[in-house]
Amino acid sequence: MSHADPATRALPTERDAGPFDPPREITRMREARPVSPLRFPDGHEGWIVTGYDEARQLLADSRFSSRQDIGILHVPYETPGMPVPTEPSPQVPGLFIAMDPPDHTRLRRKLTGAFTVKRMRRLEEHIADVVEQQLDALARLAPPVDLVKEFALPVPSLVICELLGVPYEDRDTFQTNSARFLLKEQTLEEKMAAYGAMTAYLAELVTRKRAEPGDDILSDLARHDDLTIEELTGIAFLLLLAGHETTANMLGLGAFALLEHPEQLAALRADPELTPGAVEELMRYLSVADMFYRYATEDIALGGETLPEGSTVVVSLLAANRDPRRFDDPDALDIRRNARGHLSFGHGVHQCLGQQLARIEMRAGFDGLLRRFPDLALAVPADEVRLRTDMNIYGVHALPVTWTDTAR
């Protein structure tokens, strides 16, 4: 390809600058060339976008396709060392995150009523109750306890189960399979086995809801005769996975980040009014969902480069959210910062549908946790906290914490 040069490199994924920071090489790439050539494991060359303005422009440009059936599914970034499939990945019914308009528009429109700001605000009181009940259960345990297992994972899992109409007693099955699905170092067969187990379960669930609808989002969707069972299953998979994995990891990793920045933690405890802004800053600072793929459907100019038609393009939201051209002192966690405009929820037509729900859960979660546990502390040295470097959504596998006092 014409853009090949000595600077072309492979994608760095190792967070070698610290548990909360981008890989050093990603930072160097952004500083030198915000739209950089990138060599994929199969030898072909594409691009990586690391600058804020460039990432925002890309995400808003419909000429960059999200469809994996026109690009190559680059499995090796999820499964290093595995053979590379060179054929496009077939489109999965209902998985609208990997679709372009008008297919994306048709499916997403079915959900806009379910996730309106007004409807989410009505849920705020209930979500606060869910958080308090989980904190009550946490307070009854003898520390040290794993904050992920006992708080960060149960809160969004319970909320999304109630919203979708997924029986909460089935949570072990879908939590286990979604974690397996997000593992990087596994074969494609293992990944598809986890996906198959989740979709088999969800296909049976949406089939039941079509026959006997209840008062939940999946039942509302099942009432649409123009949606097939396969499409309903794909939508359910996407909502269930995104609805608990991302928020759970933000609660766990966010608590870790606050405990590692005691001055920020103290400021937030002293003034709970800072919580909404703190949530935005934690989203920017941590960027748990980082790498996204797009495919150029024509020659496109971006960031002073020309990306040829057919190019695979990786956009790093973590790098973009740390761009000093957009955020002053971007590698500092500052809960008083105006972090609005961060790209952690994406941008453009694929901007996260459940972002208001996630915000409400995080505000209630962090507010309640800091209020109820005034002397919350890590129970292990920080370098012993197990990071999810092996997963496609970043976070902590476990966060052992301790306390001596609880409050109401």
Side-chain angles (χ1 to χ4, degrees), residues 47-49 55 58-59 290-294 313-317:
W47 298 84
I48 181 167
V49 178
L58 177 149
L59 293 169
D290 180 14
M291 300 289 183
F292 290 84
Y293 287 87
R294 293 291 187 268
V313 188
V314 181
V315 56
S316 171
L317 300 188

Side-chain angles (χ1 to χ4, degrees), residues 76 113 168 172 177 247 266 302 380:
Y168 188 59
D172 287 345
N177 283 313
T247 307
L302 182 70
V380 297

Side-chain angles (χ1 to χ4, degrees), residues 15-267:
R15 293 206 183 204
D16 53 1
F20 311 118
D21 296 319
R24 289 187 178 94
E25 183 61 19
I26 286 265
T27 300
R28 282 194 287 267
M29 291 166 86
R30 186 190 61 225
E31 289 170 355
R33 196 172 177 182
V35 180
S36 297
L38 182 72
R39 191 182 305 281
F40 287 90
D42 65 346
H44 95 281
E45 291 175 3
W47 298 84
I48 181 167
V49 178
T50 51
Y52 177 89
D53 290 339
E54 295 81 3
R56 188 177 165 93
Q57 184 181 332
L58 177 149
L59 293 169
D61 191 334
S62 61
R63 295 174 299 168
F64 287 104
S65 174
S66 297
R67 286 173 54 186
Q68 292 189 339
D69 61 327
I70 62 170
I72 299 170
L73 179 64
H74 296 291
V75 174
Y77 284 146
E78 301 171 323
T79 56
M82 294 304 299
V84 183
T86 54
E87 292 302 315
S89 175
Q91 208 161 17
V92 178
L95 215 63
F96 56 87
I97 196 172
M99 294 179 182
D100 297 333
D103 296 326
H104 169 270
T105 313
R106 178 179 74 89
L107 294 180
R108 182 154 171 146
R109 193 174 284 148
K110 307 278 189 191
L111 285 160
T112 49
F115 288 95
T116 59
V117 173
K118 186 176 180 182
R119 186 167 180 175
M120 290 303 107
R121 284 194 180 136
R122 283 205 304 268
L123 273 172
E124 269 191 75
E125 193 173 325
H126 176 62
I127 290 169
D129 289 341
V130 169
V131 168
E132 287 302 315
Q133 288 164 20
Q134 205 60 44
L135 290 169
D136 288 342
L138 184 62
R140 288 193 291 269
L141 300 175
V145 302
D146 174 10
L147 195 69
V148 172
K149 180 185 176 187
E150 304 298 344
F151 180 69
L153 187 55
V155 167
S157 293
L158 184 56
V159 171
I160 200 65
C161 280
E162 287 186 358
L163 271 177
L164 296 182
V166 175
Y168 188 59
E169 57 268 24
D170 295 342
R171 65 191 179 280
D172 287 345
T173 301
F174 74 72
Q175 285 172 356
T176 299
N177 283 313
S178 69
R180 284 180 182 150
F181 178 76
L182 291 169
L183 265 176
K184 288 180 183 175
E185 303 230 11
Q186 63 173 328
T187 65
L188 186 58
E189 287 75 20
E190 287 169 329
K191 192 180 195 72
M192 294 314 294
Y195 173 76
M198 278 188 78
T199 52
Y201 166 77
L202 290 169
E204 187 180 321
L205 182 66
V206 296
T207 300
R208 288 204 309 269
K209 289 185 181 296
R210 175 150 278 175
E212 296 178 28
D215 183 21
D216 55 71
I217 289 174
L218 292 185
S219 292
D220 290 348
L221 289 170
R223 291 185 176 95
H224 291 274
D225 292 334
D226 60 330
L227 289 176
T228 66
I229 291 297
E230 291 76 18
E231 286 177 320
L232 288 168
T233 301
I235 293 171
F237 169 79
L238 192 57
L239 295 180
L240 186 59
L241 186 77
H244 80 278
E245 280 285 353
T246 48
T247 307
N249 284 294
M250 272 304 303
L251 287 170
L253 191 65
F256 183 27
L258 288 170
L259 291 170
E260 284 296 281
H261 294 80
E263 73 294 341
Q264 299 292 311
L265 180 63

